[in-house]
Amino acid sequence: MSKSPEEEHPQKALGWAARDTSGLLSPFNFSRRATGEEDVRFKVLYCGICHSDLHMVKNDWGMSLYPLVPGHELVGVVTEVGRNVAKFKVGDKVGVGCMVGACHSCDSCSNNLENYCPKMILTYGAPYHDGTITYGGYSDVMVANERYVVRFPENLPLDAGAPLLCAGITVYSPMKYFGLSEPGTHLGVVGLGGLGHVAVKFAKAFGVKVTVISTSASKKKEAIEHLGADSFLVSRDPEQMQAAMGTLDGIIDTVSAVHPLLPLIGLLKSHGKLVLVGAPDRPLELPIFPLLMGRKIVAGSCIGGMKETQEMIDFAGKHNITADIEVISMDYVNTAMDRLAKADVKYRFVIDIGNTLTTA
């Protein structure tokens, strides 16, 4: 007979979980494994709310396992390390992002790209090596293999740094891989939400010229004056889009709703790259002729490997890059999910786990 979540492991834990496709979250008692030889245990202090969490609690992608404790932007302070752990000690500021395991033997893992391992294990809602289901960061404690733990620089605030573990690496990795981080490059960023606003900050730190592309003209002042973008295009304005055709070396498209790609492809110079990092729930239409006529590329990118994630966090610390956040209490999470569905947040909710997660 299978054990209850509370009895699976020796260490008691408290979180908030969704029980069904309503997505409603409520207090949930479960358990974490004992700290293994290569494990790091930490007290969770903050956890960002990612758009993926909203999709997962409602099973929008058809892969959710209930009860589901979301959260893959979790940060805190180390309370225990296994005897073989070399990189961390008690008291260190650390975080865990989107994954907590992989096979460690395939080509991707050998090249520090655990994120592309066919056996990559998600931080929540996925079977772990021992057969139990992983639970995420809307919880008071986390245990993870040290390979999947990221050290936070002392100067990087935990609350505003937490979203970088997903949003940050999601935009940093394709900028680096596709050569869009070279100073002087002209980069377009589509969508000014949780991912987009962080993309602008990283791009400017790289010395890149940034054009924000949005359906909403009301975001122009925010993009240029607050985030430091160089220019702004309203994607619904044919004249603006026409005038900007052939001006961008690359585009990071962060939009997770269905939207036309043809106008974006038109903005690219020859050999330009349109990189999709959002995850629309329906296929997009991809016109081929405009790709042929400029040797243009449409690509995708999914987070980054652990080595690169650490590199990204260190870069963020050096350049004082953080997410713009609204800190909330644990019991506000359902309201926050409703607001996130309406894009009513600038730009990332972060749950104050340490101060507000209490027993039911």
Side-chain angles (χ1 to χ4, degrees):
M1 195 169 119
S2 63
K3 293 182 177 179
S4 72
E6 210 171 349
E7 299 169 325
E8 281 179 337
H9 300 295
Q11 303 288 335
K12 300 294 184 219
L14 174 66
W16 277 49
R19 277 35 175 229
D20 53 46
T21 56
S22 71
L24 196 68
L25 292 143
S26 59
F28 174 65
N29 290 301
F30 67 107
S31 53
R32 297 282 191 196
R33 68 178 183 266
T35 309
E37 292 183 348
E38 297 177 357
D39 285 343
V40 173
R41 174 182 299 273
F42 63 94
K43 175 181 169 60
V44 180
L45 297 179
Y46 297 98
C47 186
I49 299 181
C50 177
H51 216 279
S52 304
D53 299 345
L54 181 60
H55 288 298
M56 288 292 286
V57 296
K58 293 179 179 292
N59 197 25
D60 288 342
W61 295 331
M63 57 187 279
S64 301
L65 300 170
Y66 298 101
L68 184 135
V69 177
H72 58 205
E73 301 176 345
L74 53 153
V75 294
V77 176
V78 176
T79 56
E80 187 181 18
V81 297
R83 65 180 184 183
N84 293 340
V85 170
K87 293 191 293 185
F88 303 97
K89 65 182 187 305
V90 172
D92 284 349
K93 291 162 59 175
V94 297
V96 164
C98 301
M99 57 184 165
V100 291
C103 78
H104 303 167
S105 59
C106 68
D107 285 348
S108 291
C109 286
S110 299
N111 289 305
N112 296 302
L113 293 169
E114 301 92 343
N115 51 314
Y116 297 123
C117 172
K119 296 180 179 177
M120 186 257 284
I121 301 171
L122 297 172
T123 299
Y124 66 86
Y128 196 63
H129 299 300
D130 62 6
T132 63
I133 302 302
T134 56
Y135 294 119
Y138 297 13
S139 60
D140 58 354
V141 62
M142 184 67 179
V143 182
N145 181 284
E146 72 168 329
R147 180 168 176 156
Y148 297 92
V149 178
V150 176
R151 177 188 302 281
F152 263 60
E154 273 305 314
N155 68 307
L156 194 63
L158 287 176
D159 53 359
L164 301 181
L165 292 166
C166 173
I169 189 60
T170 294
V171 296
Y172 179 95
S173 183
M175 284 186 209
K176 298 285 282 189
Y177 181 79
F178 290 102
L180 303 176
S181 61
E182 296 301 313
T185 299
H186 192 174
L187 177 72
V189 175
V190 186
L192 200 62
L195 291 172
H197 90 285
V198 170
V200 175
K201 292 186 179 190
F202 274 107
K204 292 309 298 178
F206 284 134
V208 166
K209 183 180 178 184
V210 180
T211 295
V212 170
I213 304 154
S214 174
T215 56
S216 175
S218 63
K219 291 186 176 180
K220 180 175 181 178
K221 184 177 179 183
E222 175 83 5
I224 292 174
E225 294 182 14
H226 174 60
L227 296 172
D230 298 281
S231 54
F232 187 91
L233 286 175
V234 179
S235 56
R236 290 189 172 128
D237 185 327
E239 288 185 12
Q240 284 190 29
M241 295 293 281
Q242 180 67 34
M245 282 186 72
T247 60
L248 302 179
D249 296 295
I251 295 173
I252 301 289
D253 184 348
T254 72
V255 175
S256 56
V258 173
H259 60 289
L261 297 181
L262 180 60
L264 301 178
I265 293 169
L267 295 175
L268 292 171
K269 298 175 183 176
S270 293
H271 330 297
K273 298 151 186 163
L274 170 59
V275 187
L276 308 175
V277 295
D281 56 6
R282 299 196 310 280
L284 305 185
E285 188 173 303
L286 179 62
I288 302 304
F289 202 67
L291 299 181
L292 305 182
M293 300 314 294
R295 195 162 67 178
K296 298 175 183 181
I297 292 171
V298 177
S301 183
C302 180
I303 56 171
M306 294 314 304
K307 182 180 178 184
E308 188 173 46
T309 302
Q310 184 67 65
E311 176 190 297
M312 177 275 304
I313 285 287
D314 292 341
F315 183 89
K318 184 177 178 184
H319 294 273
N320 295 308
I321 296 171
T322 54
D324 289 8
I325 61 169
E326 180 178 333
V327 178
I328 62 167
S329 61
M330 189 71 249
D331 60 8
Y332 187 79
V333 68
N334 289 305
T335 305
M337 287 287 188
D338 290 341
R339 285 179 54 194
L340 181 59
K342 301 171 193 163
D344 176 24
V345 58
K346 278 189 176 178
Y347 284 96
R348 204 65 148 191
F349 287 115
V350 174
I351 307 166
D352 182 352
I353 301 282
N355 290 313
T356 67
L357 175 59
T358 54
T359 52

